[in-house]
Amino acid sequence: MWYVTIASPPNRINPISANGNQELIVWVYDPETADASELNRTAIRPSQSSQKLSKLFWNLGQEPVVHTHLKKDKYYSQQHPRIGLWTVDVPAESEDIIITIHGKAIAFQECFVLDTPFIIPRPKQSFPSKKNDTSLCAPKNSDMTITWSACFPTTAVLLTDFGTFYTSDGFKTYDEIKVPSDALTQGLNNNVTDVALTDNGILFLINGLPEKKISGICSRYWCPLVYPVRNGSQLSTLGAWTSNEIYLLYGEIFHKMTDTTNLVKILHFPKDAVLSIEIVSYDSIPSEITLLLICNGCSSSKLFYLAFYSEDRQFWGLREFHLPVTENSVTKMVYLNSALSCGVLWNNESIYYTYRNNTTNGFFQIYGSNLSLSEMSNGSTIHQIIPDYLGNVMIKMKNNYLFYTKSELRGLVQLPDWIDETKKMVLYLNPSASVYTLLIDGSNIYRQTYPLELEIFSSTLMSEFSCSIIAFLHNMHFSIYYLDMGDELTFWSQIVFEENVDIGTYLEVYRPELLLLRGSSKYEIARRVCTKNETFTFYHYNDYTLESNYTKALELTSGVMSVEMQPSVFEASCKLNCKVAHFFVGCPPGRHIVVERPPEVACRRHDFTTYRIPGKFLWRQTVEDKIAYYDWDKYGCLMELHYEQYFQPVISLYDGDKYVRRVEANFILWEMKGRSDYGYTSSMKEEGCLHKAQSWPMMLNASKNSTLDEIWGPQNYRSCFVFDENSTEEGLYEQYQILNMTSTNSIAWSPSHSGIYVFRVRIVDPNYSFCDLKAFFAVRTYGIIQRSDISSVTLYSFFIICIFVAFLILSYFRYTEIFQDLKHADEKKASPDEQEN
């Protein structure tokens, strides 16, 4: 087996806030040769035999990997063969604390290493106290209560009438919480009525504080971190209430949500009705909190009603539920892990169930008996009701009698006696198995694992409630799935059961209107064993092109849809593999688009941060040039494109760093600095438009006072390929300014000059994504030989011609002058001869 322990960090005095890592220490041990410290889970280093065994497995190539239960994350180990162990770094603050150590399928002496579950404890906080500090206690003779963190069940607080005890490792170790002797007036330290755990501390409700009477506080029973919420939304961590007001804790501040006077109006109670809040509890649906209201004036007698508040959608509602009020008895409430609202209410003697959004209600009966809970437990009353992650529900009576049921069953099974009724005992959730029992001996606390599965089998083995399901398997492994427009998810399930019963896979769905569902099934029977294989495909389809209010339509058709997969029929003894998953229909986190750079195009980063744009090339032309700022971190490098090279942006869709697919939807672009000296290669007619398509001049004229983001996008996109009776062919020879990967339309650059262009791309197809997908890309054109200005060329040419003409004139006069001189010289030479003749 794998032995796992935590490297001991120093105790923390301050609340935990840093997102650090903690180290798991892992080695292989054989229970037959292990040390006592390894068997009782107190070892911090491998024994000598375990050291040798780990080294042998390391030599054979063994390598443990940590798999988390909720998110299915993996963390890989580092090897330390010299000391015979491995170490794994895991997030210290992760809510995904249930893990399994998986190894390779490597055998030594015909033995494999068993995959081993483990719960990562939260880093321990210490509560230093001084000698004279005072214990915080419940009122004398009060029942013990235990509260644990929804996301860190190993962190818990036990409240007794002799002290309050805190643990971060599931009560392997614990500390008593005390307060300075002068912090509370005399007697208040013995009046702690409730305890709640928050993200940053512990909240105590003390009878008499504060002055405004607080009836109770409640924290979450199920971890809300596995529930996806929209960007900017937040779920509360704790609720507090008085008889007529409710407050929710967001961060470290309580906000008043409403009061009973407003609830009468909001929930349409009779005007003369008087409401009071009995108890508040977080629902099975993590975004909802439920109020048990007492209505005086709704009928001839007092009635219980269930109201709820949706934090995700921010509205109040009233469930289809009412129940006569039981006098002289405090009613409590807890909700089970389910896709639909599913809970139990109880007082001292009876338990009322309400399943499937309050469509199935009633009081629990004990299987095979007509006696009440109190009668079956020798007159005792109910102390605790503990649901777990696997659908089990345990009921503990004050005399330690135990009863059991499963979520959505209507009867109780009595379990064998386990703890003597004279001992003080409380049940405590074990997230990796089922439950622990905490025994109090004087001032000492001892923890034992309760073998719930074995006790259920022994209680139902000879009864008519034996399980007819042989196996139930499915591939719904994750707690959160994300679906964008047009996406789909397919799951399979297989259920194997005995002949002569009709069992299938049942889906409980919260908000089924968000997705469509199609399914198929195959049925086989062989040797009196039936097998049913079923597939379920959830998919999104909705046409938003003609919505008058696109934003409102997105809000109404997005949100969280919860699904639970379970057998349609099961018994208390069935070991189920039920799963609740949340489908987030909307924009997946981290989804964005990127304009891909063609491989043959260079992408360069330069030193400049500003550049000049001639004013005549702007949308709104100016006499002066514009100095534009280039943000390298925002826009990225410049793609170098030849001015004759048409460019069609290729867009890819990413979730974070993960590539999803190539975008084939319609998109538009605009130049961020206001340049207009670029165009498009296709006309509307060439692209096949039936009428004039949308363009930037058209959209700008229609919305003169809006930003570019508001002017044109998926909220007002209209296709030119849809026939319109009022349309004409006028304007079809204008440039088509919408791009698509499957079309030939591209960007054309100016042939007269080079320039830097910064573009913003936006997907305008209203049926492509819930995300508003935008991206930047930048281009620098090159290849144009710069020519001088025509006026300068003309002036320069005229100047050259003038010089040339002047040169000719001067040459002419010089020539005639030389010719005259030569003529005179010839005449002088001829004169003497003439004289001789």
Side-chain angles (χ1 to χ4, degrees):
M1 299 179 68
W2 292 109
Y3 187 96
V4 194
T5 188
I6 297 286
S8 299
N11 291 348
R12 296 182 182 230
I13 297 176
N14 298 322
I16 302 166
S17 58
N19 292 324
N21 285 346
Q22 58 182 342
E23 187 178 68
L24 299 182
I25 301 174
V26 182
W27 66 82
V28 182
Y29 78 104
D30 182 357
E32 294 184 357
T33 61
D35 282 0
S37 61
E38 291 174 320
L39 294 175
N40 60 27
R41 315 300 296 177
T42 59
I44 59 174
R45 283 292 184 269
S47 63
Q48 189 173 1
S49 63
S50 298
Q51 229 177 22
K52 293 178 181 178
L53 192 60
S54 297
K55 290 179 181 179
L56 285 169
F57 271 101
W58 178 82
N59 288 330
L60 294 172
Q62 184 58 267
E63 182 182 9
V65 179
V66 169
H67 293 238
T68 65
H69 174 69
L70 294 176
K71 295 184 177 179
K72 308 300 179 185
D73 290 333
K74 295 181 181 179
Y75 300 98
Y76 296 92
S77 58
Q78 294 182 345
Q79 302 168 351
H80 303 275
R82 187 178 62 83
I83 53 178
L85 53 79
W86 293 264
T87 58
V88 187
D89 284 336
V90 296
E93 295 304 306
S94 172
E95 69 282 359
D96 208 357
I97 65 170
I98 305 173
I99 66 169
T100 303
I101 310 296
H102 289 270
K104 294 181 179 178
I106 296 172
F108 173 70
Q109 293 183 351
E110 299 182 355
C111 289
F112 294 91
V113 184
L114 179 69
D115 291 345
T116 306
F118 183 72
I119 302 172
I120 304 173
R122 199 177 192 187
K124 188 175 182 179
Q125 290 180 263
S126 65
F127 297 91
S129 60
K130 297 179 181 178
K131 184 177 180 180
N132 295 326
D133 286 354
T134 306
S135 298
L136 286 171
C137 306
K140 192 174 182 180
N141 297 324
S142 297
D143 295 328
M144 293 185 297
T145 59
I146 184 169
T147 304
W148 53 83
S149 170
C151 299
F152 300 91
T154 51
T155 300
V157 175
L158 177 66
L159 175 63
T160 71
D161 59 2
F162 59 88
T164 302
F165 303 92
Y166 166 86
T167 183
S168 64
D169 55 11
F171 278 100
K172 286 183 179 179
T173 61
Y174 56 89
D175 297 314
E176 184 177 0
I177 300 176
K178 296 184 177 183
V179 295
S181 57
D182 58 350
L184 295 171
T185 57
Q186 189 171 6
L188 287 180
N189 64 297
N190 293 320
N191 265 313
V192 179
T193 55
D194 209 347
V195 178
L197 291 168
T198 68
D199 292 338
N200 297 315
I202 304 170
L203 196 66
F204 295 89
L205 179 61
I206 298 176
N207 190 19
L209 292 175
E211 294 179 359
K212 180 175 271 191
K213 177 66 175 177
I214 295 179
S215 304
I217 54 177
C218 69
S219 54
R220 290 185 175 272
Y221 197 94
W222 308 107
C223 183
L225 298 178
V226 300
Y227 187 82
V229 293
R230 305 184 192 196
N231 290 337
S233 299
Q234 185 183 10
L235 298 182
S236 61
T237 56
L238 192 137
W241 69 95
T242 67
S243 61
N244 60 353
E245 294 177 334
I246 179 171
Y247 301 83
L248 296 181
L249 181 66
Y250 293 94
E252 296 182 354
I253 301 174
F254 276 101
H255 296 265
K256 179 182 175 182
M257 305 310 296
T258 191
D259 54 38
T260 52
T261 303
N262 285 327
L263 285 177
V264 169
K265 301 174 183 176
I266 296 171
L267 302 177
H268 306 293
F269 280 101
K271 292 183 179 180
D272 56 348
V274 178
L275 298 179
S276 62
I277 301 173
E278 175 73 2
I279 195 168
V280 175
S281 176
Y282 283 96
D283 207 285
S284 302
I285 303 162
S287 63
E288 294 184 0
I289 186 166
T290 301
L291 286 66
L292 182 65
L293 302 174
I294 297 177
C295 181
N296 195 352
C298 294
S299 69
S300 58
S301 60
K302 292 183 181 179
L303 292 177
F304 280 129
Y305 286 87
L306 285 177
F308 70 92
Y309 175 69
S310 173
E311 296 183 89
D312 189 17
R313 296 188 282 168
Q314 297 183 347
F315 75 92
W316 287 92
L318 192 65
R319 303 226 186 263
E320 294 293 329
F321 174 93
H322 58 84
L323 187 69
V325 173
T326 305
E327 299 293 342
N328 304 321
S329 181
V330 176
T331 301
K332 299 179 181 179
M333 180 168 56
V334 67
Y335 279 85
L336 314 181
N337 190 31
S338 176
L340 296 176
S341 181
C342 179
V344 293
L345 297 85
W346 74 95
N347 52 28
N348 286 335
E349 299 178 350
S350 60
I351 308 172
Y352 189 83
Y353 60 83
T354 173
Y355 298 149
R356 299 184 181 180
N357 270 3
N358 310 107
T359 57
T360 303
N361 307 299
F363 286 96
F364 278 113
Q365 300 295 322
I366 299 174
Y367 287 123
S369 175
N370 294 322
L371 300 178
S372 66
L373 269 173
S374 180
E375 292 169 336
M376 289 291 291
S377 55
N378 293 333
S380 185
T381 55
I382 300 170
H383 178 201
Q384 278 183 291
I385 295 183
I386 305 293
D388 71 5
Y389 292 92
L390 306 177
N392 301 310
V393 181
M394 286 192 69
I395 297 97
K396 177 194 172 294
M397 310 301 286
K398 291 184 180 180
N399 63 354
N400 297 336
Y401 276 52
L402 297 175
F403 295 87
Y404 164 82
T405 188
K406 262 191 176 359
S407 176
E408 300 196 14
L409 293 183
R410 307 177 188 183
L412 302 176
V413 175
Q414 185 169 10
L415 298 176
D417 294 342
W418 184 257
I419 301 295
D420 185 84
E421 63 182 54
T422 61
K423 293 185 177 181
K424 292 184 177 181
M425 187 263 283
V426 66
L427 296 179
Y428 173 38
L429 182 70
N430 177 359
S432 66
S434 182
V435 290
Y436 292 123
T437 60
L438 295 183
L439 296 172
I440 311 299
D441 183 8
S443 59
N444 296 319
I445 304 171
Y446 301 96
R447 189 188 79 179
Q448 293 181 355
T449 300
Y450 182 78
L452 178 59
E453 187 175 335
L454 292 175
E455 296 299 291
I456 294 170
F457 286 152
S458 64
S459 301
T460 59
L461 181 61
M462 304 304 295
S463 70
E464 58 181 307
F465 306 110
S466 60
C467 187
S468 56
I469 298 174
I470 299 171
F472 176 56
L473 304 171
H474 58 78
N475 69 333
M476 187 182 283
H477 300 308
F478 297 97
S479 296
I480 302 176
Y481 295 89
Y482 294 95
L483 288 94
D484 205 346
M485 292 182 186
D487 288 349
E488 65 177 38
L489 281 171
T490 299
F491 300 97
W492 59 261
S493 70
Q494 183 183 73
I495 186 164
V496 183
F497 52 94
E498 299 172 357
E499 194 180 19
N500 300 324
V501 291
D502 184 14
I503 303 178
T505 301
Y506 176 74
L507 297 180
E508 284 193 354
V509 182
Y510 169 70
R511 297 195 70 190
E513 72 277 5
L514 295 180
L515 295 174
L516 299 175
L517 173 65
R518 64 175 181 267
S520 63
S521 64
K522 293 182 180 180
Y523 182 85
E524 298 177 1
I525 182 169
R527 297 186 179 183
R528 304 183 65 179
V529 174
C530 305
T531 302
K532 185 177 285 187
N533 296 295
E534 298 180 79
T535 60
F536 306 92
T537 299
F538 296 90
Y539 62 99
H540 176 273
Y541 176 78
N542 210 333
D543 188 0
Y544 299 95
T545 54
L546 299 179
E547 292 287 349
S548 58
N549 190 332
Y550 179 74
T551 303
K552 186 67 175 178
L554 292 189
E555 290 179 0
L556 294 175
T557 55
S558 62
V560 180
M561 172 178 168
S562 300
V563 177
E564 182 177 4
M565 188 177 285
Q566 63 185 28
S568 58
V569 178
F570 56 88
E571 292 80 26
S573 58
C574 290
K575 186 177 180 180
L576 304 181
N577 184 28
C578 300
K579 178 66 179 179
V580 177
H582 305 290
F583 300 166
F584 183 87
V585 183
C587 180
R591 176 153 290 190
H592 65 283
I593 56 172
V594 172
V595 178
E596 301 287 357
R597 176 177 61 87
E600 70 277 4
V601 173
C603 193
R604 296 175 183 168
R605 188 180 181 98
H606 301 271
D607 295 332
F608 67 84
T609 55
T610 59
Y611 60 98
R612 186 183 300 273
I613 303 175
K616 61 182 178 179
F617 298 146
L618 298 173
W619 283 359
R620 295 181 176 87
Q621 295 184 2
T622 59
V623 176
E624 297 181 352
D625 294 347
K626 178 179 179 179
I627 304 300
Y629 173 72
Y630 192 89
D631 188 337
W632 291 97
D633 294 330
K634 186 176 183 180
Y635 306 140
C637 62
L638 288 163
M639 287 190 279
E640 305 282 347
L641 295 175
H642 193 274
Y643 77 97
E644 293 181 341
Q645 180 180 353
Y646 298 146
F647 182 65
Q648 185 185 68
V650 176
I651 301 175
S652 295
L653 187 69
Y654 285 83
D655 285 340
D657 296 330
K658 181 183 178 182
Y659 174 81
V660 179
R661 60 177 175 267
R662 191 64 54 83
V663 175
E664 297 183 356
N666 290 341
F667 62 92
I668 58 172
L669 53 82
W670 64 94
E671 212 284 328
M672 294 294 295
K673 308 301 179 181
R675 298 191 73 140
S676 60
D677 53 333
Y678 63 93
Y680 299 86
T681 58
S682 298
S683 68
M684 300 176 188
K685 183 74 173 178
E686 291 170 335
E687 287 295 319
C689 287
L690 300 177
H691 55 83
K692 187 174 181 180
Q694 291 173 314
S695 62
W696 278 111
M698 176 192 297
M699 305 307 290
L700 286 167
N701 288 335
S703 306
K704 294 183 179 180
N705 297 323
S706 301
T707 64
L708 292 178
D709 279 355
E710 297 172 337
I711 289 174
W712 194 6
Q715 73 278 3
N716 58 1
Y717 171 76
R718 296 292 181 266
S719 173
C720 68
F721 305 107
V722 178
F723 179 75
D724 186 351
E725 294 180 353
N726 299 322
S727 62
T728 65
E729 294 190 2
E730 182 182 354
L732 289 182
Y733 291 96
E734 295 179 14
Q735 288 185 350
Y736 186 61
Q737 298 185 355
I738 300 169
L739 297 166
N740 190 301
M741 181 181 171
T742 58
S743 74
T744 59
N745 195 24
S746 303
I747 306 172
W749 312 107
S750 172
S752 63
H753 57 273
S754 299
I756 294 174
Y757 301 83
V758 179
F759 289 104
R760 187 81 183 268
V761 172
R762 186 181 195 184
I763 306 298
V764 293
D765 187 342
N767 292 327
Y768 185 74
S769 176
F770 285 100
C771 310
D772 190 4
L773 297 171
K774 303 174 187 175
F776 294 102
F777 74 96
V779 170
R780 183 177 188 176
T781 58
Y782 69 91
I784 296 176
I785 300 174
Q786 297 293 333
R787 294 177 174 84
S788 301
D789 185 73
I790 188 65
S791 59
S792 301
V793 172
T794 304
L795 183 62
Y796 181 73
S797 300
F798 179 75
F799 179 70
I800 296 297
I801 292 170
C802 291
I803 293 176
F804 181 71
V805 170
F807 176 77
L808 290 177
I809 294 173
L810 290 173
S811 298
Y812 173 77
F813 284 111
R814 178 62 178 163
Y815 173 77
T816 54
E817 183 179 352
I818 293 173
F819 181 78
Q820 292 294 333
D821 290 343
L822 289 174
K823 184 178 179 182
H824 289 307
D826 290 341
E827 288 177 353
K828 288 181 181 180
K829 290 180 180 179
S831 297
D833 294 337
E834 291 176 355
Q835 291 176 0
E836 291 177 0
N837 293 333

